Amino acid sequence: MLRPFALHRPGTAEEACGLLARLGDDAVPYAGGTELLLLMKLGLLRPRHLIDVKRVAGFDAITDGARLTLGAAVTHRAVERSPLVGRHCALLAAVARHVANVRVRNVGTVGGNLAFADPHSDLATLFLTLDATVELVSGRGRRELPLTDFVRGAWETARAPDELLASVRLTPWPSGTAATYVKFGVHERPTLGVALALCRAAAGARVGEARLAIGCVDARPARVPAAEARLTGVAVAELEDVAGAVAEAAAAAVDPADDLHGSADYKRAMVAVFVRRALRIAAARARGDVAPAARFPHAVVA
Ligand SMILES: Cc1cc2nc3c(=O)[nH]c(=O)nc-3n(C[C@H](O)[C@H](O)[C@H](O)COP(=O)(O)OP(=O)(O)OC[C@H]3O[C@@H](n4cnc5c(N)ncnc54)[C@H](O)[C@@H]3O)c2cc1C
């Protein structure tokens, strides 16, 4: 049962932050409610005031420029359908299409996903390969920090109680980048997510820069510099030759715990398997082949 609460619907960030500052511990931001209302129904959270961020001016905007900016109240569905997202990062639109289920996608927001910092998130993992930064706003002003600093651990962020997440800014990969996101899950939320982007060197036949992020197995998603280094400079035609070394480096970099999603050993082994798969798909895309997604029937490939 939900305890009674007051719903505030501010129209500006200043108003919303003023409410958060004034109401203190009794108030929480509220977007799509897909996480928040679950916690409240379970009695794990009992706020007296919900500050609805969906009407805050600018929070529902998707804009481009030097970077692609997604307002905090942009829904997964809006990401999936946005022409701007499609133009600058088609893979992001494809990943949004596979988040949760249609009910969650229609109301769940990008900001709610990142602010909740559930380790089983697709967005945070993919965003790490897009050098994401988040913008936080409060009565004290605005600040921007890298997503790696924002997500501190499982359900833990650098957000102060009087701050709102206003937007996330992404740096789209250079054209010609071959990228994929592969996820696997046995429950509603993903058990594993692998994001891989192979940016080409100027000449085009080699990898100039590789970005690999692993999510859902550790308390927070992370890039894997050792695996990225192993891919840098490799000829596109020889990418599959280094798949074993890259998969090993990725499996060695994670530090999973036993939980309902599986044992630590299982998760580590799955990281190796799925990094290999992601590399096979990205390598095929880099060569211009049709990606072999159909060979991985139990995984979602974007
Ligand atoms: C059944 C199910 C399956 C799911 N599967 C996936 C999946 O496959 N992949 C995936 O990535 N995610 C998945 N999710 C997570 C889903 O993406 C999130 O639930 C959703 O995006 C959260 O957004 P929301 O707007 O509903 O947040 P809310 O529930 O409204 O808020 C979540 C938290 O964020 C805070 N918050 C919200 N907005 C802001 C803001 N602007 N500033 C500061 N704090 C804020 C709230 O106070 C609350 O603590 C799943 C969720 C469910 C319920």
Side-chain angles (χ1 to χ4, degrees), residues 28-38 53 59 72 76 98-101 104 107-109 111-113 115-116 120-123 159 163-165 183 188-190:
V28 290
Y30 158 67
T34 59
E35 306 287 14
L36 187 63
L37 295 181
L38 276 183
V53 298
F59 272 31
H76 302 295
H98 293 292
V99 165
N101 53 52
V104 170
V107 293
T109 63
N113 185 298
F116 195 56
H120 301 276
S121 158
D122 295 309
L123 299 197
R159 184 180 79 85
E163 282 182 313
L164 280 178
L165 181 57
K183 75 172 181 175
E188 272 181 326
R189 295 167 198 248

Side-chain angles (χ1 to χ4, degrees), residues 205-219:
R206 289 184 182 275
V207 175
E209 187 191 351
R211 299 181 191 177
L212 174 68
I214 309 290
C216 311
V217 289
D218 285 335

Side-chain angles (χ1 to χ4, degrees), residues 156-178:
E156 191 191 339
T157 71
R159 184 180 79 85
D162 65 339
E163 282 182 313
L164 280 178
L165 181 57
S167 66
V168 56
R169 294 187 179 134
L170 310 171
T171 308
W173 306 304
S175 67
T177 296

Side-chain angles (χ1 to χ4, degrees), residues 185-213:
V186 286
H187 303 290
E188 272 181 326
R189 295 167 198 248
T191 296
L192 172 63
V194 175
L196 175 63
L198 303 174
C199 313
R200 305 217 186 207
R206 289 184 182 275
V207 175
E209 187 191 351
R211 299 181 191 177
L212 174 68

